[in-house]
C-alpha cells in the first residue's frame, strides 16, 4: 500500500477509536471524562435538522468553549433532576476529510438509545449525524467542533445526557 | 367537536370535591371526556390561541403548519399581506393537505385528488368537477364557496399571531387584561423579531400541568437547583405572581438579586444553596438589561396555549398542542430582535442552555410533569393539594410561596367547563 493510503487508514482508525471512547464516556455517564474529548476553544451544539438546514442557530445544547461544556457536565451531575436512565450511543458510516490546515473534517451517523427504568423497551432518543472538526493536541485527537444534527424533531420528554 | 352522549354522561358523573379550590381531583388531568370538552369549550371556544410569529411569514405565499388545540391549521400570508388561519383538512376526503412545516406557495394543492385552495384557504379548483365528456363529475348544484375549510378569526399584536374559532372574540387587549398586556408588551417591545430556531418535544402529561408549573413559583427555588446553587433565584428575590382578573392568564416575575443578600433562614430551607459556587463560563448568566421592566425574568402563561418566556435575554414562545389527556406537544420558537449584534445573538443562544428540552431548567420541568402524570395514572383516583398561601384565595400573589394563581386558573376552568 502507498504511504498516503496507510496514513488515511490510520487516521480513520484513530477517529473511530475516538468516537468509541467518546460514546463509552457518555454511556457510563462519566461526563467529566467526556469534557476532555474537546479542545479548549471547542464548539459543541445539539441542533435539529430543521434548524440546521434553515440556518437557524438554536441548539438544544449550545456550548462555546470547553468551560461551557464543563458547566454542562457539572450541572447535569450535580444540580439537574431527571429520572434514572441508561443510554447507548452508536456511531457508524464515518467519512473523513483531512484539511490543509492540519485539522480533519469528519461526519458519522449516530443513534442514541435510551432505556428508562419503568419501561421494557429501549427507545430511540435521537438519530442523526455528527459533523465534526478534529485537531491534534500532541498525539491526541480533540474535537474543535461537534455539531450533532438530529433528524427526529420531536424530542421524547427531555434530553438529559449529551449526544 | 362532537361529544358523544356516552362522554357527556361520563363527564356528568364527575363532581368537584366540595367548593374548595385547594384540592384538584385527578380526573381533571386524566379523563378522556374532560379532555374532549376542553377541546370544544376552551381551544375551540372563546379563546385567542397562539399560532405563529409574523416573522415566520414575511412574504406573500409564506405559510407554516400550526395547531389550535390538537387541530392542525395552516397559517398563511395572502397577497394582500393579511395573515389567514384555516383548518388543514381537505373538505373533500379530510386529508391533511399541507405537509411541509413551512414554505412559500401560490396555492395549496391536496395531493390526493388535487383540490386546490388559495392563500386565504378558499376552495379554488375541483378537477373534473363537470366530469369527462358529459359523464361523471360533481352534482350541478355543488358550490365551492360552501366547501371551504373552516376559517378562524385572526388577530396580531406586535408580531404575534393569534387565532380563534369564536367569530366574535373580544379584542386581544381585553382578552389579556391590562396587567398581562403590559408584560406582553414589555417583551414584544416593538422591535422586529428575528427567528433563531425551534425546539419540539412531546411530554407525557396533561397540558394544564404546564400552565400550573408556571403559575407555581414555589417550585422554582426548589426543583431548579441550578438557579439556586448559583444564587440566581432564591426565595428572597423580589418577585410577583401576577394573574389577570379572570385567573386564566398569569405572569411569573422575578428580579435577579445579589446572592450575598440571601437570609440565613432562606438558605436553610433551600437544600441546593451553596455559597461561592461559580460557573467555569459565567457569561451564560449575564443579564443585559434591554427591557422597560423591573423584572429580569417573566414567564407569561397566556390561556390556553401560549407561554412567553423572557428568561433574562433568552426569549421564546412555547406553544402547547394537546394530543389527549395524557400527552401534549410543545413547539418552541426562540427569537431575538433586529439590530441585535452578533455577540448579543450568541449571548441569547448561550443563555438558551437554561431552557428547552435539554435546558438546565427546562429538562427538570419536563421530568417533573412526567412524574406527576405517572403518579396519577399508577395510583389513580386521588387529588392534588394546592393550598399554599391561604391569605390569597386565588389570583395575584406577592410571595413565591403560593399556589393562588393555580387556584385562580381552576376557578376560571370550572366556570368554562361547567364542572
Amino acid at each position: 500500500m502507498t504511504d498516503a493510503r496507510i496514513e488515511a487508514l490510520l487516521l480513520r482508525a484513530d477517529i473511530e477509536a475516538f468516537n468509541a471512547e467518546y460514546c463509552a464516556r457518555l454511556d457510563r455517564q462519566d461526563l467529566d471524562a467526556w469534557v476532555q474529548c474537546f479542545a479548549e476553544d471547542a464548539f459543541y451544539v445539539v441542533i435539529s435538522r430543521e434548524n440546521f438546514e434553515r440556518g437557524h442557530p438554536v441548539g438544544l445544547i449550545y456550548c462555546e468553549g470547553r468551560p461551557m461544556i464543563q458547566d454542562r457536565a457539572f450541572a447535569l451531575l450535580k444540580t439537574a433532576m431527571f429520572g434514572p436512565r441508561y443510554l447507548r450511543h452508536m456511531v457508524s458510516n464515518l467519512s473523513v476529510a483531512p484539511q490543509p490546515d492540519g485539522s480533519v473534517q469528519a461526519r458519522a451517523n449516530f443513534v442514541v438509545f435510551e432505556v428508562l427504568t419503568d419501561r421494557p423497551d429501549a427507545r430511540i432518543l435521537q438519530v442523526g449525524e455528527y459533523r465534526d472538526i478534529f485537531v491534534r493536541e500532541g498525539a491526541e485527537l480533540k474535537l474543535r467542533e461537534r455539531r450533532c444534527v438530529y433528524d427526529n424533531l420531536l424530542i421524547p420528554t427531555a434530553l438529559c445526557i449529551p449526544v | 367537536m362532537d361529544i358523544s352522549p356516552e362522554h357527556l354522561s361520563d363527564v356528568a358523573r364527575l363532581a368537584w370535591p366540595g367548593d374548595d379550590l385547594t384540592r384538584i381531583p385527578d380526573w381533571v388531568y386524566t379523563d378522556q371526556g374532560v379532555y374532549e370538552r376542553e377541546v370544544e369549550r376552551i381551544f375551540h371556544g372563546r379563546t385567542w390561541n397562539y399560532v405563529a410569529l409574523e416573522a415566520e411569514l414575511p412574504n406573500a405565499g409564506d405559510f407554516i403548519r400550526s395547531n389550535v388545540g390538537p387541530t392542525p391549521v395552516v397559517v398563511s400570508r395572502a397577497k394582500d399581506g393579511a395573515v389567514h388561519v384555516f383548518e388543514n383538512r381537505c373538505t373533500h376526503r379530510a386529508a391533511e393537505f399541507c405537509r411541509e412545516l413551512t414554505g412559500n406557495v401560490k396555492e395549496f394543492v391536496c395531493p390526493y385528488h388535487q383540490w386546490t385552495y388559495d392563500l386565504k384557504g378558499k376552495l379554488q379548483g375541483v378537477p373534473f368537477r363537470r366530469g369527462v365528456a358529459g359523464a361523471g363529475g360533481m352534482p350541478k348544484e355543488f358550490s365551492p364557496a360552501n366547501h371551504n375549510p373552516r376559517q378562524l378569526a385572526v388577530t396580531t399584536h406586535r408580531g404575534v399571531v393569534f387565532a380563534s374559532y369564536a367569530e366574535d372574540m373580544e379584542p386581544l387587549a381585553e382578552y389579556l387584561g391590562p396587567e398581562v398586556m403590559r408584560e406582553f408588551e414589555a417583551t414584544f417591545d416593538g422591535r422586529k423579531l428575528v427567528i433563531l430556531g425551534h425546539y419540539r418535544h412531546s411530554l407525557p402529561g396533561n397540558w394544564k400541568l404546564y400552565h400550573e408549573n408556571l403559575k407555581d413559583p414555589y417550585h422554582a427555588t426548589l426543583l431548579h437547583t441550578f438557579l439556586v446553587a448559583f444564587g440566581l433565584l432564591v426565595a428572597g428575590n423580589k418577585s410577583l405572581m401576577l394573574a389577570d382578573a379572570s385567573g386564566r392568564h398569569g405572569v411569573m416575575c422575578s428580579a435577579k438579586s445579589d446572592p450575598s443578600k440571601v437570609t440565613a433562614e432562606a438558605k436553610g430551607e433551600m437544600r441546593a444553596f451553596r455559597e461561592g459556587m461559580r460557573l467555569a463560563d459565567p457569561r451564560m448568566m449575564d443579564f443585559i438589561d434591554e427591557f422597560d421592566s423591573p423584572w429580569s425574568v417573566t414567564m407569561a402563561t397566556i390561556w390556553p396555549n401560549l407561554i412567553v418566556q423572557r428568561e433574562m435575554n433568552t426569549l421564546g414562545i412555547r406553544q402547547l398542542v394537546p394530543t389527549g389527556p395524557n400527552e401534549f406537544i410543545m413547539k418552541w420558537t426562540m427569537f431575538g430582535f433586529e439590530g441585535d449584534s452578533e455577540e448579543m445573538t450568541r449571548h441569547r443562544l448561550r443563555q438558551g442552555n437554561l431552557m428547552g428540552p435539554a435546558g438546565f431548567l427546562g429538562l427538570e420541568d419536563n421530568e417533573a410533569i412526567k412524574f406527576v402524570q405517572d403518579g396519577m395514572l399508577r395510583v389513580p383516583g386521588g387529588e392534588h393539594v394546592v393550598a399554599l398561601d391561604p391569605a390569597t384565595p386565588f389570583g395575584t400573589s406577592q410571595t413565591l410561596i403560593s399556589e393562588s394563581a393555580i387556584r385562580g386558573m381552576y376557578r376560571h376552568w370550572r366556570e368554562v367547563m361547567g364542572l
Side-chain angles (χ1 to χ4, degrees):
Chain A
M1 277 202 285
T2 64
D3 286 354
R5 192 160 151 70
I6 289 169
E7 215 169 281
L9 284 169
L10 285 174
L11 178 62
R12 186 183 176 81
D14 271 356
I15 290 177
E16 276 178 347
F18 177 97
N19 280 337
E21 178 59 24
Y22 177 98
C23 294
R25 291 174 186 187
L26 286 177
D27 290 347
R28 62 174 191 265
Q29 301 184 22
D30 184 355
L31 300 185
D32 290 330
W34 166 74
V35 173
Q36 299 312 315
C37 294
F38 294 91
E40 180 65 25
D41 63 346
F43 179 68
Y44 173 72
V45 68
V46 181
I47 185 171
S48 68
R49 186 159 171 177
E50 174 187 20
N51 286 343
F52 184 79
E53 289 182 351
R54 282 198 228 161
H56 289 157
V58 154
L60 290 178
I61 301 177
Y62 180 97
C63 297
E64 288 177 0
R66 192 162 63 201
M68 277 193 84
I69 299 170
Q70 190 185 323
D71 288 335
R72 168 66 58 171
F74 176 86
L76 293 176
L77 291 172
K78 303 289 189 209
T79 75
M81 186 290 293
F82 52 89
R85 64 201 62 216
Y86 300 127
L87 288 101
R88 290 283 162 196
H89 292 67
M90 308 288 174
V91 182
S92 73
N93 301 48
L94 176 68
S95 70
V96 177
Q99 300 299 300
D101 67 353
S103 70
V104 180
Q105 282 190 14
R107 289 193 192 188
N109 289 351
F110 66 79
V111 179
V112 184
F113 293 102
E114 180 177 65
V115 184
L116 301 180
T117 52
D118 55 358
R119 296 283 311 156
D121 50 302
R123 67 180 179 191
I124 294 176
L125 179 65
Q126 284 218 321
V127 49
E129 183 181 43
Y130 288 136
R131 300 171 76 102
D132 300 330
I133 298 174
F134 287 93
V135 290
R136 295 261 181 206
E137 283 184 7
E140 255 187 294
L141 282 173
K142 298 271 185 189
L143 283 164
R144 183 197 285 159
E145 210 173 284
R146 171 154 278 184
R147 293 171 201 269
C148 314
V149 183
Y150 62 92
D151 296 342
N152 50 322
L153 302 182
L154 217 49
I155 305 291
T157 311
L159 180 88
C160 302
I161 305 295
V163 181
Chain B
M1 174 148 212
D2 186 24
I3 301 285
S4 65
E6 301 90 82
H7 276 134
L8 284 176
S9 63
D10 273 344
V11 176
R13 264 192 285 115
L14 301 169
W16 194 274
D19 234 4
D20 186 0
L21 291 165
T22 66
R23 300 291 186 279
I24 305 171
D26 283 1
W27 51 256
V28 164
Y29 307 97
T30 56
D31 187 85
Q32 179 67 24
V34 168
Y35 168 72
E36 287 173 11
R37 191 180 282 191
E38 286 177 335
V39 173
E40 180 201 4
R41 296 194 183 179
I42 297 173
F43 296 103
H44 289 191
R46 295 198 57 84
T47 52
W48 281 119
N49 290 262
Y50 169 84
V51 288
L53 293 177
E54 285 202 79
E56 296 176 275
L57 315 150
N59 304 310
D62 287 348
F63 72 89
I64 68 163
R65 278 165 60 103
S66 187
N67 294 80
V68 171
T71 311
V73 297
V74 178
V75 184
S76 77
R77 193 179 288 279
K79 288 197 192 90
D80 62 4
V83 176
H84 296 265
V85 179
F86 46 91
E87 286 182 350
N88 190 358
R89 176 191 157 118
C90 184
T91 46
H92 177 215
R93 295 301 306 276
E96 202 178 305
F97 56 88
C98 175
R99 308 302 304 186
E100 298 295 327
L101 294 171
T102 180
N104 183 283
V105 291
K106 289 196 168 61
E107 60 184 4
F108 298 95
V109 183
C110 178
Y112 198 1
H113 304 91
Q114 297 184 12
W115 284 34
T116 56
Y117 299 95
D118 70 12
L119 296 168
K120 298 178 176 178
K122 305 266 191 258
L123 179 60
Q124 292 298 297
V126 174
F128 302 112
R129 182 173 156 196
R130 294 186 173 82
V132 174
M138 283 302 229
K140 237 194 229 125
E141 64 278 16
F142 174 80
S143 156
N146 294 334
H147 291 81
N148 294 323
R150 177 76 186 257
Q151 313 280 320
L152 279 68
V154 178
T155 193
T156 63
H157 187 59
R158 300 270 174 103
V160 186
V161 186
F162 296 86
S164 180
Y165 273 85
E167 284 159 12
D168 56 345
M169 269 304 283
E170 62 268 28
L172 185 72
E174 205 176 303
Y175 179 69
L176 295 183
E179 291 171 306
V180 172
M181 182 55 102
R182 190 178 316 126
E183 295 303 331
F184 183 91
E185 291 183 342
T187 302
F188 299 101
D189 59 9
R191 286 180 283 173
K192 247 183 129 182
L193 306 186
V194 175
I195 306 293
L196 298 179
H198 301 286
Y199 307 127
R200 299 170 193 266
H201 61 93
S202 60
L203 257 177
N206 183 271
W207 65 276
K208 296 187 293 302
L209 292 172
Y210 210 92
H211 282 270
E212 291 174 42
N213 186 58
L214 291 170
K215 288 175 154 64
D216 161 20
Y218 179 49
H219 90 281
T221 64
L222 298 165
L223 171 64
H224 298 313
T225 50
F226 180 85
L227 286 185
V228 182
F230 294 100
L232 291 156
L233 179 73
V234 290
N237 272 23
K238 186 165 170 270
S239 59
L240 176 69
M241 184 63 241
L242 180 74
D244 77 314
S246 76
R248 60 194 159 178
H249 315 300
V251 189
M252 193 193 286
C253 312
S254 67
K256 196 178 174 183
S257 71
D258 178 352
S260 69
K261 305 238 164 70
V262 181
T263 65
E265 182 203 355
K267 281 179 201 167
E269 292 282 338
M270 295 180 294
R271 289 156 184 251
F273 189 83
R274 293 183 185 86
E275 224 140 347
M277 202 181 266
R278 283 188 51 80
L279 290 164
D281 185 346
R283 288 180 300 171
M284 195 184 88
M285 302 310 294
D286 290 347
F287 174 49
I288 296 160
D289 192 357
E290 59 177 320
F291 301 102
D292 181 17
S293 166
W295 310 113
S296 51
V297 176
T298 59
M299 294 286 168
T301 40
I302 295 175
W303 191 256
N305 77 334
L306 169 64
I307 315 296
V308 180
Q309 164 199 319
R310 178 161 76 77
E311 174 76 36
M312 297 188 281
N313 303 110
T314 184
L315 313 173
I317 288 286
R318 308 178 196 169
Q319 180 185 6
L320 277 80
V321 180
T323 56
N326 299 305
E327 191 197 58
F328 63 101
I329 288 170
M330 293 261 290
K331 179 189 169 189
W332 301 53
T333 305
M334 308 305 290
F335 60 89
F337 298 109
E338 239 175 57
D340 282 351
S341 65
E342 193 200 327
E343 177 48 29
M344 186 62 178
T345 300
R346 283 161 57 154
H347 173 56
R348 296 193 200 284
L349 296 168
R350 290 193 296 263
Q351 206 157 62
N353 281 296
L354 291 172
M355 292 298 176
F360 297 139
L361 284 57
L363 78 86
E364 295 179 321
D365 290 326
N366 293 7
E367 284 287 284
I369 285 169
K370 176 187 189 304
F371 296 173
V372 170
Q373 202 77 19
D374 283 351
M376 288 190 286
L377 291 173
R378 293 169 194 180
V379 188
E383 59 185 26
H384 296 232
V385 180
V386 286
L388 287 171
D389 190 19
T392 311
F394 52 82
T396 297
S397 152
Q398 307 292 331
T399 168
L400 289 176
I401 315 304
S402 179
E403 288 162 334
S404 61
I406 296 177
R407 294 192 290 274
M409 181 181 114
Y410 277 102
R411 195 163 150 267
H412 173 76
W413 183 88
R414 290 186 59 196
E415 217 175 274
V416 174
M417 293 289 287
L419 286 166

